[in-house]
Amino acid sequence: MALWGQGDARWICEEREDAKNVNNWHWSEVDASAPSKKFFKEKFMALTETGSEGSVRISEVTKCEGEASVNNRKGKVIYFFEWSIELKWCGKTATSNDNITGKIIIENISEENTEDEIDITTRQNKDGNEHTKLHQIVKSQIVPKCRGIVGDYIKYLQVEHGKQVILPTKKGEGINSQPIKPKAAAPVNSIKQKMAQTVISSSKATECTDNKRTDINLSDSFKCCVDDLFQCFINPDKMKAYFNGAAEVDPRESGKFVMLGGMITGTYLEIQPNNSIHLHWRFKDWPADMYSSVTLKFKDTGSSTELTLSQVGVPQYSVDQIKSGWYKYYFNAIKRTFGYGSGTL
């Protein structure tokens, strides 16, 4: 053993007490949750937009839930974060002094997604032309700014917190953290990719190795008013009727639903009364990476109501089965139960 002060310089890391973890080389962690919340609130509360139709601003961050941490493992900086945020917007049109409000829901902010891949939904609290005008401003102007803030947040973690987990050496040299590189995006946005396939077998889903996706579009006509048909997709009693009791529904945005004894589960993402419903579904027997997004639109044709369904991210091998399931368990079941039959278009 060398005498004190005569050791080989190659084995002397630093003159410091934490010799077992010099410069935080082996491990270190910074909890960035509190400063992240402060970052989001400051940035989102500063959002405002003024145009010829009116002005809109973010008046409140009503929800900011999640966590963030920055970790060092042997010189490599690793970021973990997951956030769910809700914002309240308000504004006035150029022709009205009414205070118009709505909300913005931002989900699945995580290291796995870039700002372009996160899911942002918006809503207006009341119907009406003035409300719709401002809602369009929110969609076209405020939402892109929200995505920009998420992008800035990723850089903020790198710059402000990445340097904290690896300390500089005696010569003042630090170890640069690597940029956050989200995992390769799935073919369809991971937040909106939820779907129910009512007839696919678990063995089929397990054995299939073809992950190619496609979209489907369906339409049908019902002999009823728009409100009656719309209620068939949000009213728990009506849904239990045509599902023969096998339906548990929380009909509000971010509300969950469970059908057919847990075979179908999902979430309401956006509900626009008598106009459209956007939700994500999952069938229990699907592999974990198989999801799709469903949008239902309702149109009054005078003598009936036309329903159109668009579904994004459907496994190609089960397209025919999924189409059959929609008609069998939903469209035809609704007609049979409530007498809305008019023939399939």
Side-chain angles (χ1 to χ4, degrees), residues 24-29 70-78 80 165-166:
N24 288 342
W25 171 260
H26 293 291
W27 70 87
S28 59
E29 179 175 332
V70 184
N71 301 266
N72 160 48
R73 294 295 181 270
K74 294 188 176 180
K76 181 179 180 181
V77 180
I78 306 171
F80 297 101
V165 295
I166 299 181

Side-chain angles (χ1 to χ4, degrees), residues 159-174:
V159 174
E160 297 299 324
H161 298 285
K163 62 186 179 182
Q164 296 182 33
V165 295
I166 299 181
L167 302 178
T169 64
K170 188 175 182 179
K171 295 181 179 181
E173 298 172 349

Side-chain angles (χ1 to χ4, degrees), residues 96-272:
S96 173
N97 288 322
D98 293 340
N99 187 39
I100 298 172
T101 61
K103 70 178 181 178
I104 300 173
I105 303 172
I106 311 173
E107 295 183 299
N108 208 37
I109 303 174
S110 75
E111 73 279 355
E112 296 184 354
N113 302 311
T114 67
E115 62 268 30
D116 295 324
E117 295 168 335
I118 62 172
D119 186 60
I120 301 180
T121 58
T122 64
R123 61 166 293 182
Q124 59 194 64
N125 289 339
K126 294 182 179 180
D127 293 329
N129 186 48
E130 301 298 318
H131 293 262
T132 301
K133 287 181 180 178
L134 291 192
H135 192 191
Q136 290 302 319
I137 295 177
V138 171
K139 288 182 177 180
S140 62
Q141 303 297 326
I142 298 296
V143 168
K145 291 183 177 181
C146 289
R147 294 191 186 278
I149 288 175
V150 173
D152 292 340
Y153 171 68
I154 295 174
K155 298 174 184 177
Y156 161 79
L157 282 182
Q158 294 173 330
V159 174
E160 297 299 324
H161 298 285
K163 62 186 179 182
Q164 296 182 33
V165 295
I166 299 181
L167 302 178
T169 64
K170 188 175 182 179
K171 295 181 179 181
E173 298 172 349
I175 300 177
N176 295 324
S177 62
Q178 298 297 317
I180 299 175
K181 296 182 180 180
K183 296 180 180 178
V188 186
N189 189 300
S190 59
I191 306 171
K192 292 186 175 180
Q193 302 171 338
K194 299 284 182 179
M195 165 60 195
Q197 177 208 9
T198 58
V199 292
I200 183 174
S201 67
S202 58
S203 60
K204 173 83 173 182
T206 303
E207 293 172 3
C208 179
T209 58
D210 183 3
N211 290 326
K212 293 182 179 179
R213 308 297 181 86
T214 188
D215 303 341
I216 65 173
N217 295 282
L218 304 175
S219 64
D220 208 343
S221 184
F222 299 78
K223 285 291 186 180
C224 62
C225 66
V226 171
D227 183 62
D228 286 341
L229 183 59
F230 194 86
Q231 290 298 316
C232 289
F233 291 89
I234 63 170
N235 185 298
D237 292 333
K238 283 198 168 187
M239 298 184 77
K240 288 179 180 179
Y242 68 83
F243 271 110
N244 295 319
E248 300 177 16
V249 185
D250 182 9
R252 58 188 176 88
E253 293 186 0
S254 299
K256 308 296 183 180
F257 58 82
V258 179
M259 310 295 188
L260 300 175
M263 295 304 291
I264 298 171
T265 58
T267 304
Y268 289 94
L269 291 180
E270 185 175 18
I271 301 174
Q272 296 187 5

